[in-house]
Structures are given as C-alpha cells and as structure tokens.
Amino acid sequence: MSVETLIQTIPKAELHLHIEGTFEPELMFAIAQRNGIRLPYSSVEALHTAYNFSELQDFLNLYYQGMNVLLEEQDYYDLTWQYVEKIARQNVVHTEIFFDPQGHTSRGVAFETVLNGIFHALQEGERQFGISFGIILCFLRHLSEESALETLEIALPHQDKIIGIGLDSSEVGHPPAQFQKVFKRAHEAGFYCVAHAGEEGPPEYVRQALDLLNVARVDHGNRALEDPSLVQRLVDAQIPLTVCPLSNLKLCVVDDIAEHPIKTMLNHGLRVTLNSDDPAYFGGYVNENYLALANAQLIDENDIIQLAKNSFHSAFIDDARKKALLAKLDVAIVQRTDSA
Ligand code: HPA
Ligand code: ZN
C-alpha cells in the first residue's frame, strides 16, 4: 500500500480548522454575487494569485476580507457544507472547528445566524457521513478582552452547540495574559479551552496559555521547541499540539517544508496532531498536510498511524467515541498489513 493510500484510508480527526479559512474562491465569488457584494478581485484566478503571504498578518488581512461576504444563515451553511463534503472524502471521522464570531457580529450579522448555519451543516454531515463534531468559539486577540467577554455572554445560551473556547488572530503583541478573565469565565461555564500560541509568538506565550488560561491543547505551539523545559512539561502532561504544516509553510513559520520540525516534535514524545488550519488559503486539507510531510520524508508509515492515533486521543470526545474511533483505525491498520 502506498503512503498516499495509507493517508487516504486511515480514519482521522481534525482539531485545528477555522471554518472561515475553508472559504474557497469559487464559493466566495458565488456568495458575494448573491449578496450583491463586490470583491476587489476581477476573477477567482486573481484572488488565488493574491494568496502569497510573508507572515500571519498578510493572511489575516485577506481572511477577514473574504469572510465579509458572509451574511445569511445559508451562506454559513454552504461554507460549512463544502468543508464537510471535502473531509468526508478524506476519511476525517471527527472534526472540531473554530469560528470567529466577532468577525461577523462586528458587521451586523447576528451570532445565531453564524452559529446555526455552521451547526446545521455539521449536523447534516453527522447524519449523512457519521462525522462527529465540536464547535469552538475563538476570540480575536487583536480586539479587547472586554469584547471577548461580551462575546462569551452572547454564547452562553448556546452551550448546547459550542464545546469550547479558543484564541486566534494576530499573536505577537497580544499575549494570552490579556485574556485571563474571559478564559476563567469560560472554564467556570464548562467550556474546553484552547489557544493559539507559539506560532509567531515566543515560548513565553505558550507558558502563559498553560499557566494563565489553563488550556487543554495548544494550537500550533511550534516555538515551544526553543525552550527545553517547556517541551518537557508539554511531554509530561501530554498536552496536545495541533500542528499545521502547510499553514506553517505558507505563513513562513518554516522556510521550506523539509525544515518542518514534525520529526523533532515526535521524537521528543510530544502529542502532536496534523491539521489544515485554513485549507482554502494554504493549499491543502488534512490529507495534503500528511502527504506534504511524507513526501518530504519527514514522516513514515508508523508516524502517520501515530499522528492519527494522537488526533483521537486529543479530541474533546467521550471515552466511548474515542474507543470506537481508535478501533476503526485498528481495522484500517490490519487491512493495510493484510493487503501488503
Ligand atoms: N493563526 C492565528 N489566527 C488565525 C489563524 C492562524 O493560523 N488562522 C485563522 N486565524
Ligand atoms: Zn489556526
């Protein structure tokens, strides 16, 4: 069995995915047209060409511009449904997706419009394809903690649809320490908590996410590798890192995919998972992220299986679902050995 087939056939979870980052240019143009909004690009190709980033902020500027065309519940449904259909073809059996409500409510779109569109598409995905899911609300860290607190208040009546709270957007200059109050409230309300840290920000931001925000997972976490005692702590506590190789490449966190630190992470015994982050902008969904590392000879078959296992061990699911997904993975592994 080729490595491509192995990646394609094993069941896996995706744990770091911004739904607004799955907005493919074709769908963006279609929704812009139906909402009577003009995009500042003459064509899908022109938009594609603009996807050239030298850092996180370059990408975020386009990411916020893109999401501006989303207005109606149907828009959020269509966006999410396109992602669901994509991952169904990639054997993703569980997904935990981020959304950025402040990127929508600030334009006058109701929180419920956003959440219901996303939720109903994921529900339909569970019905049709058996893909379980969780929705994680992210606060935009370039905005104030006050704004995050207001957003949390709006979210509280919708806890049946939201499993967790995260922190994203421009990292440097917006340390986790600025969001202690809102994360404390989120913990008290029973949300799982995660945060982006160590993508562009220093190891100290990863420490703050652990110490001050009490996160259960760190999104990205690459720069934790600069601090051996922090690595040891992440290993000892088996705190998952949701790593996104193609994102790291496109945002110049690594200069070349061959320089991606995945092997170092695995060798340290870190609980690493592979994810696509913003696949429409970074050139690949979850399987393409596995494949990019395999093609660069950074991960072998055993690593691929370990990464898929890690994805289930790191997911916010109950023990019964975890057991079922790990059993599914075992079946796929046995079938691979049989067909070899
Ligand atoms: N980092 C920070 N914020 C984001 C990202 C990311 O990779 N993607 C979408 N918002
Ligand atoms: Zn992200």
Side-chain angles (χ1 to χ4, degrees):
M1 181 184 276
S2 70
V3 75
E4 283 95 334
T5 312
L6 176 68
I7 291 167
Q8 169 60 34
T9 48
I10 52 168
K12 59 199 83 73
E14 174 148 65
L15 305 177
H16 183 157
L17 181 280
H18 303 262
I19 197 62
E20 298 92 342
T22 68
F23 208 178
E24 293 288 351
E26 292 77 5
L27 184 63
M28 194 184 290
F29 268 88
I31 291 180
Q33 189 169 29
R34 99 184 166 204
N35 287 339
I37 296 171
R38 273 186 72 88
L39 284 165
Y41 300 93
S42 56
S43 64
V44 164
E45 293 70 37
L47 183 52
H48 259 299
T49 311
Y51 292 173
N52 219 321
F53 315 117
S54 56
E55 58 176 2
L56 173 60
Q57 193 60 48
D58 291 344
F59 152 70
L60 289 172
N61 295 341
L62 289 193
Y63 169 82
Y64 295 123
Q65 180 183 76
M67 72 173 80
N68 279 347
V69 309
L70 298 164
L71 295 179
E72 310 292 337
E73 185 172 321
Q74 188 68 44
D75 303 341
Y76 294 93
Y77 185 97
D78 292 349
L79 172 71
T80 308
W81 183 248
Q82 192 167 72
Y83 167 69
V84 166
E85 285 191 309
K86 188 80 192 181
I87 61 169
R89 291 193 292 271
Q90 296 209 342
N91 262 313
V92 172
V93 291
H94 176 78
T95 187
E96 291 174 13
I97 70 168
F98 298 130
F99 77 119
D100 288 334
Q102 291 154 298
H104 309 286
T105 54
S106 63
R107 300 179 287 110
V109 180
F111 183 92
E112 290 75 12
T113 300
V114 182
L115 181 61
N116 287 336
I118 295 170
F119 181 79
H120 289 137
L122 290 169
Q123 220 176 19
E124 184 59 20
E126 182 153 46
R127 201 185 64 78
Q128 278 194 36
F129 306 118
I131 302 172
S132 51
F133 65 89
I135 298 178
I136 299 175
L137 182 168
C138 275
F139 301 123
L140 298 179
R141 68 203 303 161
H142 67 274
L143 302 178
S144 66
E145 184 174 47
E146 218 28 67
S147 173
L149 281 162
E150 282 165 22
T151 306
L152 182 61
E153 285 305 313
I154 297 170
L156 284 176
H158 304 285
Q159 262 190 285
D160 55 329
K161 298 193 177 77
I162 301 170
I163 56 160
I165 294 297
L167 186 66
D168 66 359
S169 190
S170 322
E171 187 182 5
V172 175
H174 305 285
Q178 290 176 352
F179 295 89
Q180 293 179 65
K181 252 189 285 178
V182 71
F183 270 73
K184 184 164 182 286
R185 275 240 191 120
H187 272 291
E188 285 164 0
F191 288 107
Y192 291 109
C193 291
V194 300
H196 283 56
E199 181 184 19
E200 289 188 343
E204 173 57 19
Y205 284 21
V206 178
R207 282 190 187 279
Q208 285 186 11
L210 297 172
D211 291 333
L212 306 180
L213 306 187
N214 267 304
V215 298
R217 297 195 297 242
V218 173
D219 296 313
H220 295 295
N222 298 47
R223 290 197 59 194
L225 293 176
E226 295 168 23
D227 180 340
S229 68
L230 177 57
V231 169
Q232 197 52 53
R233 178 174 173 189
L234 291 164
V235 171
D236 289 346
Q238 284 294 288
I239 304 282
L241 303 185
T242 61
V243 172
C244 309
L246 291 175
S247 167
N248 293 159
L249 180 65
K250 285 293 265 187
L251 301 185
C252 304
V253 169
V254 297
D255 294 332
D256 191 311
I257 199 71
E259 285 164 27
H260 195 278
I262 186 69
K263 196 69 193 171
T264 308
M265 290 169 161
L266 287 168
N267 286 344
H268 278 305
L270 285 162
R271 183 176 278 178
V272 197
T273 68
L274 291 189
N275 311 273
S276 69
D277 207 3
D278 302 282
Y281 293 88
F282 301 151
Y285 287 76
V286 69
N287 285 1
E288 287 80 26
N289 276 272
Y290 277 79
L291 196 56
L293 297 180
N295 285 340
Q297 317 274 318
L298 296 176
I299 53 171
D300 61 17
E301 293 195 0
N302 289 331
D303 296 325
I304 290 165
I305 290 164
Q306 183 64 51
L307 288 160
K309 261 188 202 158
N310 287 354
S311 76
F312 298 140
H313 282 297
S314 307
F316 297 140
I317 47 180
D318 63 28
D319 286 345
R321 179 71 180 153
K322 194 168 289 187
K323 232 174 123 179
L325 294 180
L326 287 165
K328 235 183 212 295
L329 178 58
D330 278 339
V331 169
I333 295 167
V334 170
Q335 281 172 351
R336 150 187 162 263
T337 318
D338 288 349
S339 71

